Amino acid sequence: MPPPSDIVKVAIEWPGANAQLMEIDQKKPLSSIIREVCDGWSLSGSEQFALRYADGPQLYITEQSRSEIKNGTILRLAISPARAARQLLDRIQSHGIDTRLEALKELAKLSADPTFATEFISMEGIGTLARLVESGTHFGEMLAFTLTAFLELMDHGIVSWDLISLSFIKQIAGYVNQPMVDVSILQRSLAILESMVLNSHSLYHRVAQEITVGQLIGHLSNQEIQTYAIALINALFLKAPEDRRQEEHTNPLDQRLTEMASTLAQKHLRSIILNHVIRGNRPIKAEMAHQLYVLQVLTFNLLEERMMTKMDPSDQAQRDIIFELRRIAFDGENDPSGTEKRKAMYTKDYKMLGFTNHVNPAMDFTQTPPGMLALDNMLYLAKLHQDTYIRIVLENSSREDKHECPFGRCAIELTRMLCEILQVGELPNEGCNDYHPMFFTHDRAWEEFFCVCIQLLNKTWKEMRATAEDFNKVMQVVREQITRTLAMKPSSLDQLKGKLRGLSYSEILRLRQSERMSQDDFQSPPIIELRERIQPEILELIKQQRLNRLCEGSCFRKLGNRRRQEKFWFCRLSLNHKVLHYGDLDESPQGEVPFELLTDKIPVSDIKSVVTGKDCPHMKEKSALKQNKEVLEQAFSILYDPDENLNFVAPNKYEYCIWTDGLCALLGREMGSDLTRSDLDTLISMEMKLRLLDLENITIPEAPPPVPKEPSTYNFTYNYG
């Protein structure tokens, strides 16, 4: 009979004694169980003891956590959390250095336990540790253990970070700013500063005044601490007030970390992260990947203000940007002098630029997102990639076949799409590691990304031969091209371009079809129904192909009982499918053998059945039983009246399947070879893809007519095995 669910069997250890094997009743108070354990070793004062796990983090067991004890768990009897906290607090304040070091080492380990932490903090333990740090008398290993214990205790959230003194912050910041500090101390100091920033608004300002960008850049080349340095950069960036993020300063390396926006745009910081972190000689671990993702998100979030800013049509400075786009594209220096003529020309030019509102294109930028960010992207393309910009605009403005790609409308919608894909304006997700190395390879990565994608959009538009009515469909394809490419994690913008070139519209269609025809899709009711409708047509196609192959005929090897020169014979079906002709040959033929050379024949009406393998008469003979497995698997016989048979051994598995299936089709029986099943699946898949493709393609007037779907149009070649 199994033990009750409230009973768990455990082993309990005590230093210097044999372990006790006990059955713990989870209904009994924990204090009673501890008393029984102490009695087993004749220990008095059971209230001074507690149970801990012997393995792993070795956490204390409480009434709240005892339900997690499983059968076979090894526990350890230890002094109670309160007693341990008091002893350690006394020892870390002792004058003996060795005693203090051992106490701090044990404290650093125990501080991760919430039960112990509660007791230690209640005894003003955090204040004691803070004073030890502020004194500046601890160094090396002793200081590292002190900082570890402090951080672990604070992470429990029992006390507020706002209680931390300014002198403590200055001391921790001093460790970060010192050129020669032990790695373990630097790691813990950076982690403490990060926690201060994330958990206290007031401490953010204090920390930001103590740390500069240049000081943190020096730590990014050290692989042991670069994760902590980037985490602190992210924390300060995340908590920076909006007005402070946008400030500009003369020397970015001397900036305080309250001005992160202008800092992160600086080439030096970006190149350090790229060369020493992303392209470093060590693989990027999960925590570093997360921090790079956070940095990427926070950097793109700087675009949110422009993304959510509507254009003011009455603002002349903003309207001048649109004028500049027109001037670059059409060389606006030759404007007519008259107001009405100039207005008419502007309207025509704005239409050629692809704006929706030809009279006042400023109205195109009043929707948010993407707001003014779209105009920023367009101006960047026009100024920094002028040839590309002019080419895109002019090649579309000169077209008169309704296939022109409206640059302005496309650029605005593309900007909105990119904001959605890269989640501009959203906070980073915990546990997400989805950073893109290429965004760290250029100082204006966002703008360059847009420039690559607008060229992709123009190219895809032409490949689809789209019109204005197809705008949304083109944008869907472009979104898929971009998201699929981003999933490949290109390491540079050049690699991005190369991968996008490989994802043409036709390739996207192929991938869609391939995925649609996956196993899961085949199980959906519409696909099953379509398959059942197609199958009879495909089976008839396969049947006709098999019969056509029988009409062409095949050469077979004659089997003999003695070793002699090899002989051949040939067999083929008459074109009216009524007679099988066969006859001996002196050698293997090269091509088709005329019916006149085949002297023997069997009327199809006389055939009773077709048998294979061991059921064949020539495989039942004593000598034939010694034939190898391959011969047996490729043997078949035709049984016909009166009690006669024609025996075959096919030259290969393919011919075997062709002939056995063809003979079955000739006799009106089911074709059941592996080849037929394979052909059936392949051809059904092909036909389904073609039909689904017909539903998806844009109507292209200039395109050639689609290939007819009649069975006779299929021409397929087998490559069996």
Side-chain angles (χ1 to χ4, degrees):
M1 180 178 180
S5 58
D6 294 324
I7 303 297
V8 290
K9 297 181 179 181
V10 300
I12 303 178
E13 300 176 339
W14 175 254
N18 293 327
Q20 296 185 41
L21 301 178
M22 291 188 62
E23 291 186 353
I24 294 180
D25 187 349
Q26 294 284 38
K27 294 180 179 179
K28 293 176 63 175
L30 190 58
S31 58
S32 299
I33 296 172
I34 294 173
R35 187 180 305 112
E36 291 179 17
V37 174
C38 290
D39 291 343
W41 281 311
S42 302
L43 299 173
S44 59
S46 60
E47 66 278 1
Q48 298 293 319
F49 292 92
L51 291 175
R52 293 170 59 187
Y53 289 98
D55 301 319
Q58 301 181 7
L59 300 177
Y60 279 101
I61 295 170
T62 64
E63 288 289 355
Q64 293 73 31
S65 64
R66 62 183 296 181
S67 60
E68 300 173 6
I69 302 175
K70 308 297 181 184
N71 281 314
T73 302
I74 301 176
L75 306 179
R76 179 175 297 161
L77 185 67
I79 60 175
S80 66
R83 184 179 171 189
R86 173 54 58 190
Q87 289 181 359
L88 287 175
L89 193 58
D90 292 340
R91 289 166 58 195
I92 63 176
Q93 299 178 83
S94 69
H95 296 292
I97 295 179
D98 292 341
T99 302
R100 195 183 309 168
L101 178 61
E102 288 300 317
L104 288 169
K105 183 177 182 180
E106 188 174 348
L107 177 63
K109 183 178 180 181
L110 279 174
S111 294
D113 190 311
T115 307
F116 170 84
T118 302
E119 297 291 343
F120 188 81
I121 291 171
S122 68
M123 300 175 186
E124 302 296 328
I126 285 183
T128 301
L129 293 177
R131 287 190 293 273
L132 290 175
V133 173
E134 292 170 11
S135 68
T137 57
H138 284 55
F139 304 98
E141 196 175 22
M142 187 177 294
L143 178 58
F145 287 133
T146 303
L147 296 178
T148 300
F150 178 87
L151 183 59
E152 291 284 2
L153 292 167
M154 291 299 297
D155 280 348
H156 291 294
I158 299 172
V159 295
S160 173
W161 283 90
D162 289 322
L163 300 176
I164 303 302
S165 67
L166 180 58
S167 60
F168 181 84
I169 297 174
K170 287 183 174 293
Q171 190 67 39
I172 296 297
Y175 298 138
V176 174
N177 296 334
Q178 291 178 15
M180 299 296 293
V181 179
D182 186 77
V183 168
S184 59
I185 295 174
L186 270 175
Q187 290 175 339
R188 288 152 181 80
S189 298
L190 290 167
I192 290 172
L193 293 174
E194 179 197 1
S195 293
M196 288 179 183
V197 172
L198 293 176
N199 291 285
S200 171
H201 181 70
S202 61
L203 291 187
Y204 157 77
H205 292 283
R206 295 179 180 178
V207 172
Q209 292 301 317
E210 298 294 329
I211 303 294
T212 67
V213 177
Q215 291 162 348
L216 286 181
I217 283 181
H219 296 311
L220 293 178
S221 59
N222 187 330
Q223 294 180 336
E224 300 293 332
I225 59 177
Q226 56 190 198
T227 303
Y228 298 88
I230 294 180
L232 179 55
I233 291 175
N234 287 338
L236 287 158
F237 193 5
L238 182 64
K239 295 298 182 178
E242 292 296 329
D243 58 333
R244 300 294 288 174
R245 292 185 189 180
Q246 304 298 335
E247 293 183 10
E248 295 290 342
H249 290 258
T250 304
N251 187 350
L253 298 184
D254 291 336
Q255 288 182 19
R256 302 296 171 182
L257 286 178
T258 48
E259 293 85 42
M260 289 302 300
S262 56
T263 298
L264 289 174
Q266 300 302 317
K267 182 177 181 179
H268 189 46
L269 178 59
R270 179 193 59 75
S271 63
I272 288 289
I273 293 175
L274 178 65
N275 295 323
H276 292 278
V277 179
I278 296 176
R279 295 177 179 172
N281 53 17
R282 288 201 316 185
I284 293 178
K285 297 182 180 179
E287 178 57 28
M288 174 59 83
H290 174 68
Q291 295 301 335
L292 292 173
Y293 155 76
V294 172
L295 184 57
Q296 172 185 289
V297 171
L298 296 177
T299 303
F300 284 143
N301 282 356
L302 296 172
L303 304 168
E304 183 180 11
E305 181 181 356
R306 294 293 283 173
M307 180 183 75
M308 300 307 295
T309 299
K310 295 181 179 180
M311 187 171 187
D312 182 0
S314 63
D315 188 321
Q316 187 60 44
Q318 295 180 1
R319 294 175 63 188
D320 285 344
I321 300 176
I322 299 178
F323 292 153
E324 181 69 3
L325 290 175
R326 175 191 165 275
R327 186 195 65 78
I328 295 174
F330 304 117
D331 190 13
E333 296 178 358
N334 299 321
D335 291 350
S337 56
T339 303
E340 291 300 322
K341 290 183 178 180
R342 186 184 304 114
K343 185 176 180 180
M345 175 172 283
Y346 283 3
T347 300
K348 178 183 177 182
D349 289 349
Y350 291 146
K351 181 179 180 180
M352 294 170 67
L353 276 170
F355 288 113
T356 303
N357 192 317
H358 307 153
V359 177
N360 186 7
M363 300 302 297
D364 287 14
F365 301 95
T366 56
Q367 184 177 356
T368 59
M372 290 295 291
L373 184 60
L375 188 58
D376 295 342
N377 286 340
M378 295 166 70
L379 185 62
Y380 181 90
L381 175 69
K383 285 185 170 293
L384 275 297
H385 298 275
Q386 195 168 111
D387 291 343
T388 299
Y389 168 70
I390 294 174
R391 175 179 56 80
I392 292 175
V393 172
L394 294 186
E395 76 176 15
N396 286 287
S397 62
S398 61
R399 300 189 65 168
E400 297 181 357
D401 56 0
K402 297 183 180 181
H403 291 289
E404 67 276 2
C405 177
F407 169 75
R409 184 184 177 190
C410 288
I412 293 170
E413 184 58 33
L414 177 63
T415 301
R416 180 187 293 110
M417 179 196 298
L418 297 183
C419 289
E420 291 175 358
I421 292 173
L422 297 176
Q423 301 178 330
V424 175
E426 297 184 18
L427 290 176
N429 295 322
E430 284 295 329
C432 182
N433 303 335
D434 190 24
Y435 80 97
H436 297 280
M438 70 176 181
F439 290 130
F440 294 87
T441 63
H442 200 284
D443 295 331
R444 304 294 293 273
W446 165 265
E447 291 85 350
E448 289 294 322
F449 184 48
F450 168 83
C451 293
V452 172
C453 293
I454 194 67
Q455 294 178 73
L456 167 73
L457 196 161
N458 187 59
K459 171 176 171 286
T460 301
W461 186 284
K462 290 187 290 186
E463 290 175 346
M464 296 175 68
R465 295 189 57 77
T467 63
E469 290 75 18
D470 302 314
F471 183 85
N472 291 333
K473 183 166 186 177
V474 174
M475 297 308 298
Q476 291 173 3
V477 173
V478 171
R479 174 185 283 270
E480 187 171 347
Q481 290 171 315
I482 293 171
T483 53
R484 284 181 182 272
T485 303
L486 287 177
M488 302 177 196
K489 291 294 193 314
S491 60
S492 66
L493 289 166
D494 286 338
Q495 195 174 100
L496 170 73
K497 296 174 187 176
K499 292 184 180 299
L500 285 173
R501 279 195 295 269
L503 276 179
S504 62
Y505 174 54
S506 59
E507 178 65 11
I508 288 294
L509 288 181
R510 189 193 68 78
L511 290 171
R512 285 179 177 179
Q513 295 156 18
S514 176
E515 292 165 1
R516 190 178 288 120
M517 307 310 292
S518 65
Q519 189 62 34
D520 290 340
D521 286 340
F522 267 119
Q523 302 308 313
S524 62
I527 297 298
I528 293 175
E529 181 182 353
L530 179 59
R531 182 185 178 92
E532 290 174 350
R533 290 172 56 188
I534 292 174
Q535 183 163 318
E537 175 186 341
I538 300 301
L539 278 173
E540 181 61 26
L541 170 66
I542 294 173
K543 174 182 175 181
Q544 293 302 321
Q545 192 271 343
R546 299 296 191 263
L547 292 175
N548 289 341
R549 281 289 292 109
L550 263 62
C551 290
E552 294 173 4
S554 297
C555 181
F556 299 91
R557 180 168 52 89
K558 289 180 77 80
L559 292 179
N561 294 334
R562 302 188 307 272
R563 291 180 179 271
R564 59 173 182 164
Q565 187 177 1
E566 199 165 31
K567 293 288 184 179
F568 301 92
W569 66 287
F570 197 89
C571 183
R572 60 180 299 195
L573 179 66
S574 64
L575 299 181
N576 61 8
H577 298 175
K578 292 184 177 181
V579 178
L580 274 175
H581 298 263
Y582 64 96
D584 293 340
L585 300 175
D586 293 330
E587 58 184 13
S588 180
Q590 301 296 320
E592 187 175 280
V593 177
F595 289 107
E596 295 78 18
L597 298 180
L598 304 176
T599 56
D600 299 309
K601 59 184 179 180
I602 302 173
V604 171
S605 58
D606 289 345
I607 298 177
K608 296 188 295 185
S609 64
V610 177
V611 295
T612 61
K614 292 181 180 180
D615 295 330
C616 297
H618 59 311
M619 293 291 110
K620 290 181 178 180
E621 299 173 5
K622 183 177 180 179
S623 60
L625 291 177
K626 298 179 182 179
Q627 300 291 342
N628 61 34
K629 182 180 179 181
E630 182 180 356
V631 171
L632 189 65
E633 290 178 346
Q634 296 174 8
F636 62 98
S637 298
I638 295 174
L639 307 182
Y640 60 98
D641 290 331
D643 299 323
E644 297 288 339
N645 54 75
L646 182 63
N647 300 319
F648 300 75
V649 174
N652 51 56
K653 189 69 174 177
Y654 168 73
E655 289 291 336
Y656 169 84
C657 293
I658 288 293
W659 272 85
T660 53
D661 282 341
L663 291 171
C664 287
L666 193 63
L667 300 176
R669 298 170 187 172
E670 182 179 355
M671 300 178 293
S673 73
D674 293 340
L675 181 61
T676 292
R677 286 190 289 270
S678 174
D679 287 343
L680 184 63
D681 288 339
T682 300
L683 293 175
I684 286 179
S685 297
M686 290 170 57
E687 177 67 12
M688 291 173 72
K689 289 177 183 178
L690 288 171
R691 295 192 184 189
L692 291 170
L693 178 60
D694 285 345
L695 297 176
E696 190 167 317
N697 273 340
I698 293 175
T699 302
I700 305 173
E702 294 83 359
V707 178
K709 301 298 189 301
E710 288 80 0
S712 60
T713 64
Y714 284 95
N715 182 17
F716 52 91
T717 304
Y718 294 98
N719 185 13
Y720 194 86

